[in-house]
Each structure stands twice: as structure tokens, then as C-alpha cells.
Amino acid sequence: MKQPKPLGSLAGFFMTTMLLVGLALLLWSKQGVAFSPGQISAKSSPGVSLKGYQSHAEFEKKCGACHAPLSTNLGAKCLACHEAVNQQIQTGQGIHSQIANVAMCAACHPDHRGRDFDPTKASFLHFDHSTTGFRLNFHQFNYDASSLGCTECHQNGSYNSVDNQICLNCHGEHDNQFAAIHPSNYGEDCLACHDGADRMINFAHSETGYPLEGKHEQVACSECHRDSNFTDTPRNCQECHAEPAEHKGVFDQTCETCHSPKGWLPANLNGQTFTHQDTVKFSLALHKKDYAGQVITCVTCHPSDLKSFDLQVCITCHKQEDQTFMTDHQVQFSSSCLDCHDGMDRLSNFDHNTFFPLDGKHTSVDCETCHANKVFKNTPTECYQCHEEPDIHKGVFGQRCAYCHTTDTWSPATLKLHTFPINHGLDDPALQLNCDTCHGQNYYEYTCYSCHDHQENEIIQQHSEAGITEQDIPACVKCHPDGIVNAAERVP
């Protein structure tokens, strides 16, 4: 007896057909979900809609929205929907423009991991934050040592930007004083200077091509980088420093030819340091403006050549103010202005006593008597330089005239500076020794050996015990001002 063949029977065919139809209906109803490896993410951003969808889960059944037949690269499909990301890539701006193999979206943003799975946060495991221009070297932990999460910096719901106020708030809570001063000096654009690796710690201004030298080292950053501008800062002197009024129309704009950051003065003129006061011995302190209130420039006094000067310029200028005074002044003191004047007008409120006191008979002497030929510099100040030594004095009294004479009168003379007792060795105070007892041939030298025995070796030994050198021994009065023999008590 033959066995029945169910598959070849009418019933078997019917059952197979029904099974295939049911399976087809099931696949049609699932629209490809039956082949999905897992549920699509339902994560969404409030108020954000792309192509009419809030999340991937809303088009879960439309596999073709993300997948192309026989293709494993989803990049083109992703960018067609995520137009903002595509814009970043095309313009070279934003996070995605810095990522290698950016078209392999699924490598960083996988899906089919369930409704609660977040493809954006999943990318953090693979994301190199340094590609944003800001490293996380020093942003792993908060000041309280707790972990620093992404949303603590990206609080606005976007991971493409950071509000600088978040930086200021965080650092301000740690150091309020620093956070208040730092933005005022450098501006509030934190990322203009900081890259997370804190490149400013080892920052060398010389690497910018503009080294800070001399006085520039003392200038606050904000003085040059105004409005927090660190990219288009002026480099030429005239862009920061106003040209001195006395320079205008005289020198070109290459300030560094004569001046350096070490200081405006001294200048460097033809390879040599120059200040008007030290180099030409004439200060410009009282020559800033003329009598009309106009600025005195270099060419005002040096009209033809800066290296030469004609005194007639002084005379012409000052005559315009007071011709009578200048005429009389020239008659009395000559036209050699620079012999007396150095720009600081040392003759204004001039006190002759600061140079040479005019007292006694000197008060009635005409200026020309001492200042012959109108020469006021290097005028003699010693008596013998003006007064001829009397014959009776020559070789006897030396040139210390003031020891005996005064400006009141030549005679009588007064021995004002003889401190050693003249009656030395005499019992009667009224008696006096003859001058030549101590002074011999002249009165500006003396010796004690005329009366006192001088055993040289013994004297040297005795005085050396008291700390007196052999060279100082002849100066007896230095240790024996009143003639006391035992000077040991006077030696410290």
C-alpha cells in the first residue's frame, strides 16, 4: 500500500499557500521591522524637527530612509536629513568638519539599541574633544573633585557651542576676585586664549613675532589688546604712541631708528646715545612752548641743520618778548647765551652764595672784575687765584689765606685756625712760643722734633702698639691736638 504525500496533496498546497500569504501579510504590516536588529531610538530634542520627524523611532518602519540596497554606508542618507551637520562639513566649521572619515556616521552614532538609547551620547565614547580646539586635560573634574559632565559646560542643549558665561560662572565661584579682574583685562572670550591644555601657562610673547622688551614688559595686556582683540594688535610705534609735537614735520615715522622700548630717552643718534640735556648740555625743560604758546619744534631752534645752532636764534626770539631787556642784557653779559644759561635757567632766582659767597669787600666788586670778558664758567674761587701773594708771604705762609685773613679786611690778620696751644710747655699762660719753634722756615709745615727727642725705632714701636702706622707718625697734632704727651688714651 502506498503512503500518502501531504506536500503533493491539495490540502498541503492549500496550507503552504496560506502560510506564505500570512507571512507576506505579516511582513507587509511590519514594513521591514521584522528584519530589524533592534528597536530604533526615540530620543529627541525639544522643538527640533528634521524632515517632519522628532526622532528616529517615528520612521522605524521606513528602512529605506536610512538604508540603501546593497550599501553599508549610511553617510549620504544621514546628511540628507541632518542638514546642519552637512553644513559644518561643507564650510569647514563646527565639530563634524574636524572628524576624519566623517561619512561613517554609524561608527560614532549607532542605533537599533532600544527606545532609550541616545546616539548622540554614544558618540562621546569615540569622540576626540581636541578636534574642537579645546582639550579636556584640565576639565575632567570640578573644583570639588566631582566628575565634570558634558552638560555642565554645554547647558544650552547644543554640543556645538559653549556660552562663555558658563566658564565665568564656574571659575568665578572658585575665585571671585580673579574672575572679576581677568575678563576686564583680557575680555570675556575665553576660547580666544585658552584651549583646555592652558597654552597661556607657557605662553611666550616672543613667539608671536613681537617680543616684549624694556618698558613694554610693564604694560598691562589690555593696554595693547583693546576690546579683547588679540589678532589685529598694532605693531608700529605710531599706532599706539602719539608723535611728540616737537617732532612733527621733522622726523619720519621710523621711531625705532632713534628710540627703543627701553625708554624714550636716551635716543640713539648716529650710533651714539643722545639726550638734549646730557649731550649738548642744554635742557628743554623751559623751551616747550614759545611766548605765543606755540610748541617749539626742533626746527624752531635749528632751522637749517639739526647738528648746528646759531645763538642769534635765542636773541631774536627773546627780543620779541622784551627788546629793552635783551639789549641791556647783551651789553652787560655779552651775547654768549650758553655761557650762563643751560635751559633750566639756573640764573633765575640765582643765589651767588651757592657758588661763592659774596661777603665783606666782595659785595662791592663789579661782576666784570671777577668775570672778565663776560666769562662766567670756571671762575676762580681761591684767594691766590685773584689776589697776588705779598712778597713777605712768599714761601712762608702757603696759600691758605683764609687761615689768617677775611673778606672784611686784609689787616689786621687773625690766626683763626691755630688750635694748638701757643704757650705749649710754658708755665705762664700769657707767654707764647715763637712761631719758628715749631714751624721752622714756613708756617704751613710744623715739626715737634725741635723739642722732643725722636728715637725713630722706639717711636715706631710705641706707636704701632697704639695702632698708629709709620706714615701717620709725623702728624703729631692729629693725636695730640693740645700737646698732651700720653696719647694712648686717645687711641681707640
Side-chain angles (χ1 to χ4, degrees):
M1 181 177 178
K2 294 182 178 180
Q3 294 290 331
K5 298 180 180 180
L7 295 177
S9 65
L10 182 61
F13 175 78
F14 178 76
M15 292 179 63
T16 299
T17 302
M18 293 298 294
L19 180 62
L20 292 175
V21 171
L23 182 60
L25 291 173
L26 178 64
L27 292 175
W28 177 82
S29 64
K30 293 293 185 179
Q31 296 185 1
V33 174
F35 299 100
S36 175
Q39 290 184 321
I40 297 295
S41 171
K43 289 294 183 180
S44 63
S45 298
V48 177
S49 176
L50 300 179
K51 302 296 184 181
Y53 298 104
Q54 299 289 324
S55 70
H56 289 178
E58 293 185 8
F59 55 85
E60 183 177 29
K61 295 180 180 181
K62 298 179 180 181
C63 302
C66 296
H67 299 279
L70 304 178
S71 175
T72 57
N73 189 348
L74 311 181
K77 294 279 189 177
C78 296
L79 295 178
C81 192
H82 294 275
E83 295 177 349
V85 175
N86 189 34
Q87 181 70 15
Q88 291 181 24
I89 298 172
Q90 297 302 321
T91 60
Q93 299 178 350
I95 295 174
H96 289 86
S97 66
Q98 307 298 319
I99 300 175
N101 300 320
V102 67
M104 303 296 292
C105 305
C108 294
H109 303 285
D111 208 330
H112 294 281
R113 304 291 179 87
R115 293 287 188 259
D116 295 329
F117 180 76
D118 191 335
T120 300
K121 287 186 176 180
S123 66
F124 297 164
L125 296 174
H126 310 281
F127 178 65
D128 181 4
H129 206 283
S130 64
T131 59
T132 67
F134 191 89
R135 298 178 180 273
L136 298 179
N137 299 30
F138 296 95
H139 288 75
Q140 301 290 326
F141 302 96
N142 280 305
Y143 286 110
D144 61 1
S146 61
S147 295
L148 187 64
C150 304
T151 56
E152 294 189 53
C153 295
H154 301 280
Q155 297 179 1
N156 57 2
S158 172
Y159 292 99
N160 293 323
S161 62
V162 174
D163 186 348
N164 281 304
Q165 190 60 46
I166 296 173
C167 303
L168 297 174
N169 291 342
C170 180
H171 291 283
E173 290 177 0
H174 175 67
D175 189 338
N176 187 53
Q177 183 177 5
F178 169 79
I181 297 175
H182 195 72
S184 64
N185 287 337
Y186 305 104
E188 297 184 354
D189 187 2
C190 309
L191 301 183
C193 295
H194 299 283
D195 61 2
D198 215 353
R199 65 171 181 245
M200 303 303 291
I201 287 182
N202 298 315
F203 174 72
H205 207 285
S206 58
E207 295 179 357
T208 67
Y210 191 92
L212 295 182
E213 303 171 337
K215 299 277 186 175
H216 287 164
E217 292 181 302
Q218 306 168 17
V219 178
C221 303
S222 56
E223 289 297 313
C224 296
H225 300 286
R226 300 181 184 278
D227 300 324
S228 304
N229 183 357
F230 292 88
T231 56
D232 300 320
T233 307
R235 291 171 176 260
N236 296 323
C237 305
Q238 67 270 18
E239 294 182 273
C240 293
H241 302 279
E243 182 181 22
E246 58 268 24
H247 269 201
K248 290 183 177 179
V250 182
F251 301 99
D252 57 27
Q253 297 294 308
T254 56
C255 311
E256 63 276 8
T257 302
C258 299
H259 304 281
S260 76
K262 294 180 179 179
W264 178 254
L265 292 175
N268 188 316
L269 187 62
N270 297 327
Q272 297 181 342
T273 57
F274 174 85
T275 65
H276 208 283
Q277 180 173 338
D278 296 331
T279 307
V280 302
K281 309 303 179 185
F282 191 86
S283 170
L284 299 178
L286 300 179
H287 286 75
K288 300 294 185 183
K289 295 183 178 181
D290 60 18
Y291 291 113
Q294 300 299 312
V295 173
I296 298 177
T297 67
C298 303
V299 294
T300 304
C301 297
H302 305 276
S304 58
D305 184 3
L306 295 179
K307 296 180 181 179
S308 64
F309 176 68
D310 186 354
L311 288 171
Q312 189 60 43
V313 175
C314 301
I315 298 169
T316 301
C317 179
H318 288 280
K319 270 190 175 182
Q320 292 176 356
E321 175 66 13
D322 193 333
Q323 183 171 356
T324 301
F325 168 79
M326 281 300 298
T327 300
D328 294 342
H329 195 72
Q330 288 176 265
V331 172
Q332 186 176 6
F333 300 107
S334 84
S335 298
S336 299
C337 311
L338 300 183
D339 285 348
C340 297
H341 299 283
D342 59 6
M344 292 184 289
D345 211 358
R346 65 170 181 247
L347 294 180
S348 179
N349 301 320
F350 175 71
D351 182 5
H352 205 288
N353 291 328
T354 60
F355 293 89
F356 186 87
L358 294 179
D359 53 13
K361 291 196 173 182
H362 285 164
T363 58
S364 58
V365 177
D366 292 335
C367 302
E368 292 81 358
T369 303
C370 296
H371 301 288
N373 300 320
K374 308 292 176 57
V375 176
F376 294 88
K377 289 183 178 180
N378 302 318
T379 303
T381 57
E382 298 292 339
C383 304
Y384 67 89
Q385 293 175 297
C386 292
H387 301 280
E388 184 178 359
E389 184 179 19
D391 291 337
I392 193 174
H393 271 202
K394 289 182 179 179
V396 179
F397 291 96
Q399 297 176 334
R400 302 290 184 178
C401 310
Y403 281 7
C404 299
H405 303 280
T406 68
T407 56
D408 293 325
T409 181
W410 174 257
S411 181
T414 302
L415 195 57
K416 299 184 297 181
L417 300 178
H418 201 291
T419 59
F420 193 86
I422 297 178
N423 68 334
H424 173 57
L426 301 177
D427 295 332
D428 187 354
L431 298 176
Q432 297 183 354
L433 294 175
N434 291 329
C435 298
D436 58 4
T437 301
C438 298
H439 294 285
Q441 298 299 316
N442 60 64
Y443 294 104
Y444 54 85
E445 295 178 350
Y446 74 90
T447 179
C448 297
Y449 301 152
S450 299
C451 299
H452 297 280
D453 184 27
H454 181 67
Q455 300 295 327
E456 185 174 358
N457 293 334
E458 183 179 350
I459 292 296
I460 291 175
Q461 181 179 355
Q462 290 178 351
H463 283 73
S464 64
E465 293 174 356
I468 301 171
T469 65
E470 183 177 351
Q471 291 75 18
D472 290 335
I473 289 177
C476 306
V477 176
K478 182 178 179 180
C479 295
H480 307 282
D482 52 7
I484 296 178
V485 174
N486 185 11
E489 299 176 0
R490 299 181 178 277
V491 179

